[in-house]
Amino acid sequence: MNNTIDDIAEKGNMLFDAGKYEQAVNVWQKGLELLEKPFNVQSEAVWFQTSIADAYFMLGDYQTAYSYLTAARSNLSGEGYDPFVMLRLGQCCFELGRDDAREYLLRAYMSEGEEIFDGEDGKYLDAIKDLIQNA
């Protein structure tokens, strides 16, 4: 089954890299459905949920992305506290006007430093500049 899961993941990656976000989501959804339930104990689920969330983030659907990211974060494997998950959670919360945006952005920063914000809109790093400077 791992080869099948890996193949599905890679197919979704190729679509994502080509900017075909909706198609990537459809592929990754199929991969997620192949995993045993409950998903919250499968480390592979974190990868699929985070990838799906990333695609929705790119599409500007922050609420759907947030839903997938919170599912990934709650995974019992411990993989859900990945710095990228924290970054995207923070960004989605920021876009949705949620109070916990800075908390997640700071977690991403504390794990990976400023580099995790490379290639991202500067407003996300700016949102926590005061927290970084006062630390």
Side-chain angles (χ1 to χ4, degrees):
M1 181 182 260
N2 278 343
N3 285 339
T4 305
I5 295 296
D6 290 344
D7 291 344
I8 291 170
E10 188 53 38
K11 182 178 179 185
N13 286 343
M14 291 186 334
L15 291 166
F16 182 92
D17 291 344
K20 298 178 180 180
Y21 304 124
E22 290 105 343
Q23 290 172 293
V25 165
N26 291 335
V27 168
W28 288 327
Q29 283 283 11
K30 289 180 177 119
L32 191 58
E33 291 166 10
L34 289 176
L35 298 178
E36 292 180 26
K37 292 182 179 65
F39 292 144
N40 71 336
V41 297
Q42 306 293 327
S43 61
E44 294 90 351
V46 174
W47 190 91
F48 280 118
Q49 290 164 332
T50 302
S51 296
I52 292 167
D54 195 23
Y56 279 118
F57 180 84
M58 294 299 180
L59 291 167
D61 186 345
Y62 305 115
Q63 185 61 54
T64 303
Y66 174 82
S67 298
Y68 277 97
L69 290 165
T70 55
R73 187 196 68 214
S74 68
N75 192 287
L76 300 176
S77 71
E79 300 291 325
Y81 276 85
D82 177 86
F84 184 75
V85 172
M86 295 296 108
L87 174 67
R88 280 290 187 258
L89 255 174
Q91 292 169 317
C92 288
C93 289
F94 182 94
E95 298 299 337
L96 295 169
R98 293 179 50 97
D99 292 339
D100 49 356
R102 289 173 19 116
E103 174 190 340
Y104 292 120
L105 292 171
L106 185 60
R107 285 178 190 230
Y109 176 87
M110 297 301 283
S111 294
E112 294 291 316
E114 203 166 305
E115 301 81 45
I116 197 162
F117 292 90
D118 289 351
E120 303 294 333
D121 191 312
K123 66 185 176 183
Y124 301 117
L125 183 57
D126 288 345
I128 59 168
K129 283 281 189 187
D130 64 316
L131 299 174
I132 297 166
Q133 291 169 349
N134 293 331

